[in-house]
Amino acid sequence: MSCLPHTALAAALTVTLVAPALAYDGTNCKEPGVCWEPKPGYPEKTKITGSKYDPKHDPKQVQKQGDSIKEMEDRNKKRSENFAKTGKFQYDVSKIGAN
Amino acid sequence: MKRFRTSASAFTLAASTALSVVGATLPAFANDKLVELSQSEENWPMTGKSYKAQNYSKATQINTENVKNLRPAWAFSTGVLHGHEGTPLVIGDRMYVHAAFPNPTFALDLNEPGKILWQHKPKQAPTARAVACCDVVNRGLAYWPGDGKTPSLILKTQLDGHIVALNADTGEEFWKMENSDIKVGSTLTIAPYVIKDTVLVGSSGAELGVRGYVTAYDVKTGAQKWRAYATGPDEDIKLAKDFNMANPHYGQKGLGTNKTWEGDAWKIGGGTNWGWYAFDPDTNLFYYGSGNPAPWNETMRPGDNKWTMTIWGRDIDTGEAKFGYQKTPHDEWDYAGVNVMMLSEQEDKTGKMRKLLTHPDRNGIVYTLDREDGTLVSADKLDDTVNWVKQVDLKTGIPVRDPEFATRMDHKATEICPSAMGYHNQGHDSYDPEKKLFFMGINHICMDWEPFQLPYRAGQFFVGATLWMYPGPKGDRQNYEGLGQIKAYNAISGKYAWEKMEKFSVWGGTLATAGDLVFYGTLDGFIKARNSKTGELLWKYRLPSGVIGHPMTYTHKGTQYVAIYYGVGGWPGVGLVFDLNDPTAGLGAVGAFKNLANYTQMGGGVQVFALNGKNPYDDVNIGEWTGKAN
């Protein structure tokens, strides 16, 4: 840890002032179930954006799973409703409207 | 042999008596039939044998006195290579066999096991293989007994994300739904689980940033009943009004988003569940664990990352969580918390009878909770060499971390125990209710770990760490052997009745029987039987390939059989399976298991044993061609 960026160093100092613990050991909780702390020299949770560790997530990529699940749920709904109605299972949703 | 027959019929009588008692006292559930089936030693109708998931059989025909006479009875090749996890199901006269990708299913006739009654061979996009993190394994099938209107069904998952119901008599597809999308890196390896008229399906893909979820489908129609996520808003996670009321210090509402995550990181936060389930009809809760957060690079996801790494108790009808205990807040080691849940009833240290759940986790701690409200009863180290945590404080539930063995950016951590493969992985273990002992297949692997930054692209790997793995302190680090252990554990005293070292990790789990035996398979290609009181090795047999599934047992026409899959693979087998040499390849497993190829090669099948090899073909005319039918 010889070349800490300025922000990380500042964050480390802040931590030292607020929490006397030398390192993150999981026992200093802000509220029940919220016990994470930055390690000495590493940014606070809200400071990771803009730091050298910024994950820089692309919102379009991050949204893809949610969209995919919604589409699968919609197709499955058509399949199960058609199955209940006709008593015959049809996987290919493009053939369901034609019934 | 006459002696065995006598004990078998005495046993059958006892089983049928037990059956009638159960039938009279249990509440009238639609799945009573599954409970009944699991009481008989003639069936093995679900993973773990019964809803208690004890992998325990009352059968005593094979016991410590005669296990030396155990011999192969018959075998079946699945025609597929790669890792064969899980165990076959047996219901009545049939054995149902599953296999690795492309996930064929076979129904065999136990009166003439050479006859394949039906086979289901799905067509799947081969691209599914590219997004499987840890070999193209599958953990098993589920069975629904039928209700008179809808036929009995075999439920299966496919690597390509489908959940499929097959007619158990014909193998025809009854319905088929999309649960997971391989385009975003989401696959299925978990075995489905049937409770009442619901089939549960988990999820895989935390190594590709998949946000985990568990889904309930109507077993008769495939209609989705509910879906519960591991991270995100409370309504997505489906928390009951009284969630964690008995243990508010575990955390309660509003923790799945920005209180324990930064920004939208929870949307790609992992927490998939690909392990095992258990169920208690009295609490109406099913139990399972959510997996690791994504990515493995801890610096990219500050916060406790709730509710990954959590032991859940959820209502089977509504999906709502009554309790959730996070074992590994802010994971830094990939200790995916999906391992086996085994239920038992035992007196605690104060003499109070408790309904319990015992769970040996990847992080090297074996947790025992009150399964009615989630209260911690014990949390003991699987081995004294666990070092990331000093201890688990039972009052606060907090693991007291040792910062020396933490991981972080711009730092290579060394000598962390357990490794990412855990001191315990996907193996389904067993519990002997008479001896009050859990028989656990344990890993003994430690690691060095160095994270790196990487972007998230849906459908691509999102790991961000380089690992070097090697035997733990009790193994042989020069020769890369001594990577496993098997132990007998009491969850109340925290004491180990016995401990034995193994050459490789005991990856597949264990089976316990009232014959005072514990059976398990090994990666180097043996099935072994130990005395469950002492741990003494009593018998072993050399199988065609290494084992990563768990043994099962059933009694058919008065003969007790023991069955096990062979076919090495899974995470420990990736070097061998995909021909890799870089020790950091295969997420670090290649280095740890570089010696495995000197003991086994790939395979795929089921091997069945009986005393003196007794089997249906003892009458040599069984299964012979007797000429044309007319």
Side-chain angles (χ1 to χ4, degrees):
Chain A
M1 299 318 303
S2 52
C3 50
L4 283 174
H6 181 68
T7 46
L9 192 65
L13 286 173
T14 319
V15 166
T16 315
L17 289 174
V18 179
L22 284 172
Y24 166 46
D25 71 355
T27 62
N28 298 318
C29 305
K30 286 192 187 125
E31 62 178 275
V34 183
C35 311
W36 180 84
E37 295 175 285
K39 290 165 189 154
Y42 289 79
E44 276 286 350
K45 187 157 72 69
T46 52
K47 300 272 173 62
I48 188 151
T49 305
S51 79
K52 70 184 269 200
Y53 304 120
D54 188 345
K56 293 178 187 162
H57 291 313
D58 175 350
K60 275 187 205 155
Q61 292 291 331
V62 167
Q63 193 49 43
K64 280 188 179 176
Q65 290 180 41
D67 293 345
S68 158
I69 286 174
K70 197 184 165 301
E71 288 161 19
M72 289 192 293
E73 286 180 348
D74 288 348
R75 287 193 292 271
N76 285 344
K77 197 155 183 268
K78 283 180 189 155
R79 290 172 183 133
S80 60
E81 282 175 0
N82 181 63
F83 188 27
K85 203 170 82 186
T86 66
K88 215 177 151 220
F89 186 77
Q90 173 60 257
Y91 177 79
D92 186 345
V93 286
S94 71
K95 290 181 183 163
I96 284 175
N99 283 345
Chain B
M1 288 308 297
K2 203 170 182 183
R3 184 160 55 91
F4 306 142
R5 286 210 183 104
T6 312
S7 67
S9 44
F11 162 74
T12 313
L13 191 68
S16 54
T17 315
L19 258 181
S20 55
V21 172
V22 168
T25 51
L26 274 181
F29 280 128
N31 63 337
D32 261 3
K33 211 167 163 188
L34 209 46
V35 173
E36 280 181 26
L37 286 170
S38 69
Q39 300 282 336
S40 160
E41 303 314 319
E42 295 190 345
N43 306 306
W44 193 283
M46 63 177 87
T47 63
K49 187 172 195 290
S50 76
Y51 283 132
K52 288 189 177 174
Q54 294 175 341
N55 270 1
Y56 177 75
S57 167
K58 295 189 215 91
T60 55
Q61 187 178 111
I62 303 166
N63 54 53
T64 50
E65 296 299 310
N66 59 22
V67 70
K68 63 179 183 292
N69 300 322
L70 205 53
R71 300 276 183 275
W74 56 271
F76 174 75
S77 166
T78 61
V80 175
L81 296 176
H82 287 272
H84 280 56
E85 287 187 355
T87 198
L89 300 185
V90 165
I91 296 113
D93 283 345
R94 279 193 213 141
M95 176 182 281
Y96 299 97
V97 173
H98 74 285
F101 184 87
N103 310 120
T105 308
F106 303 93
L108 305 180
D109 180 353
L110 289 181
N111 297 314
E112 188 187 337
K115 196 167 178 179
I116 302 170
L117 295 169
W118 56 255
Q119 50 195 294
H120 175 256
K121 292 188 160 180
K123 296 272 181 287
Q124 300 187 55
T127 44
R129 299 169 58 104
V131 286
C133 80
C134 312
D135 199 10
V136 292
V137 296
N138 185 282
R139 296 191 183 82
L141 303 167
Y143 176 74
W144 181 72
D147 64 0
K149 284 183 201 156
T150 304
S152 54
L153 300 170
I154 289 290
L155 287 306
K156 67 184 279 183
T157 55
Q158 298 181 178
L159 190 68
D160 69 359
H162 286 96
I163 165 76
V164 188
L166 306 175
N167 183 316
D169 292 327
T170 64
E172 288 167 308
E173 284 188 5
F174 194 70
W175 55 257
K176 175 179 173 181
M177 297 292 169
E178 294 175 87
N179 186 78
S180 308
D181 182 358
I182 56 173
K183 287 196 197 72
V184 297
S186 186
T187 51
L188 282 177
T189 58
I190 190 173
Y193 200 72
V194 169
I195 300 171
K196 303 185 188 179
D197 293 335
T198 296
V199 58
L200 292 174
V201 182
S203 50
S204 289
E207 280 58 54
L208 293 98
V210 171
R211 177 190 178 206
Y213 51 93
V214 56
T215 311
Y217 296 90
D218 184 323
V219 76
K220 290 184 268 194
T221 65
Q224 185 177 314
K225 290 184 169 178
W226 52 258
R227 170 165 279 166
Y229 290 84
T231 68
D234 287 353
E235 53 271 27
D236 286 12
I237 305 175
K238 292 187 85 66
L239 301 181
K241 274 188 185 155
D242 61 348
F243 174 67
N244 274 349
M245 202 67 102
N247 294 285
H249 55 285
Y250 289 177
Q252 293 177 285
K253 301 293 169 73
L255 303 183
T257 52
N258 59 7
K259 276 193 178 171
T260 71
W261 293 89
E262 178 54 22
D264 280 351
W266 56 267
K267 289 187 179 173
I268 50 170
T272 50
N273 65 105
W274 46 269
W276 310 98
Y277 299 100
F279 172 65
D280 182 348
D282 296 335
T283 61
N284 207 39
L285 301 177
F286 70 95
Y287 307 95
Y288 74 103
S290 48
N292 57 291
W296 287 13
N297 182 344
E298 67 84 40
T299 308
M300 291 174 65
R301 46 166 174 80
D304 290 84
N305 308 140
K306 281 187 165 54
W307 288 91
T308 62
M309 308 297 221
T310 297
I311 296 175
W312 294 99
R314 287 189 186 274
D315 187 285
I316 182 59
D317 299 321
T318 65
E320 287 185 343
K322 184 175 168 70
F323 68 82
Y325 168 67
Q326 190 182 38
K327 297 162 288 182
T328 313
H330 186 71
D331 170 57
E332 304 181 5
W333 312 271
D334 182 39
Y335 294 150
V338 303
N339 291 1
V340 65
M341 303 282 173
M342 294 170 283
L343 308 188
S344 68
E345 293 75 40
Q346 300 187 58
E347 284 181 10
D348 65 15
K349 280 180 176 160
T350 68
K352 186 184 164 197
M353 195 55 131
R354 304 283 286 265
K355 298 190 84 174
L356 302 172
L357 167 171
T358 294
H359 168 77
D361 193 71
R362 281 265 273 274
N363 70 15
I365 304 288
V366 51
Y367 296 88
T368 296
L369 273 58
D370 184 315
R371 70 174 186 263
E372 292 185 313
D373 63 12
T375 301
L376 262 173
V377 173
S378 64
D380 299 308
K381 289 188 176 182
L382 280 167
D383 193 75
D384 54 12
T385 55
V386 171
N387 62 17
W388 74 274
V389 60
K390 289 172 180 166
Q391 85 233 18
V392 176
D393 184 328
L394 291 181
K395 277 201 183 123
T396 63
I398 289 173
V400 182
R401 308 155 88 99
D402 184 341
E404 189 183 341
F405 300 102
T407 72
R408 57 187 188 273
M409 273 298 289
D410 305 321
H411 170 75
K412 183 177 175 181
T414 57
E415 298 279 346
I416 303 167
C417 306
S419 76
M421 298 181 97
Y423 269 2
H424 192 289
N425 203 286
Q426 62 85 38
H428 194 312
D429 289 329
S430 58
Y431 172 72
D432 182 330
E434 301 296 323
K435 300 181 183 68
K436 302 196 189 317
L437 288 174
F438 292 90
F439 304 104
M440 300 186 293
I442 292 171
N443 303 337
H444 194 60
I445 313 170
C446 301
M447 67 176 171
D448 300 350
W449 170 299
E450 187 171 22
F452 59 86
Q453 291 278 120
L454 81 172
Y456 171 76
R457 297 276 180 271
Q460 293 181 18
F461 274 80
F462 186 50
V463 174
T466 307
L467 282 68
W468 296 259
M469 297 201 259
Y470 38 80
K474 295 174 182 173
D476 179 351
R477 288 193 180 170
Q478 300 304 312
N479 297 301
Y480 278 75
E481 290 182 357
L483 292 150
Q485 298 180 307
I486 179 163
K487 301 188 182 191
Y489 166 77
N490 181 297
I492 304 301
S493 71
K495 292 200 170 109
Y496 290 91
W498 50 265
E499 313 181 8
K500 303 287 174 186
M501 287 297 294
E502 278 285 346
K503 191 178 287 162
F504 294 106
S505 299
V506 185
W507 197 263
T510 67
L511 158 74
T513 75
D516 291 332
L517 293 169
V518 54
F519 290 93
Y520 62 103
T522 64
L523 286 170
D524 56 335
F526 289 90
I527 177 173
K528 298 184 179 179
R530 289 184 185 271
N531 183 320
S532 56
K533 288 179 179 164
T534 64
E536 185 192 355
L537 186 61
L538 299 176
W539 171 84
K540 68 181 175 188
Y541 178 83
R542 173 68 182 170
L543 292 160
S545 177
V547 175
I548 56 172
H550 45 282
M552 56 85 76
T553 187
Y554 64 95
T555 300
H556 185 69
K557 293 192 169 169
T559 300
Q560 185 189 352
Y561 295 90
V562 173
I564 194 165
Y565 285 129
Y566 60 84
V568 80
W571 195 0
V574 291
L576 187 155
V577 160
F578 297 107
D579 203 17
L580 306 171
N581 293 312
D582 176 353
T584 66
L587 305 169
V590 172
F593 289 95
K594 62 184 182 185
N595 245 337
L596 187 57
N598 297 327
Y599 294 94
T600 192
Q601 295 296 308
M602 290 166 83
V606 58
Q607 177 73 57
V608 182
F609 300 87
L611 289 173
N612 301 311
K614 181 175 162 56
N615 74 84
Y617 298 109
D618 286 346
D619 173 352
V620 294
N621 291 317
I622 295 285
E624 287 301 299
W625 192 61
T626 52
K628 283 203 270 186
N630 65 345

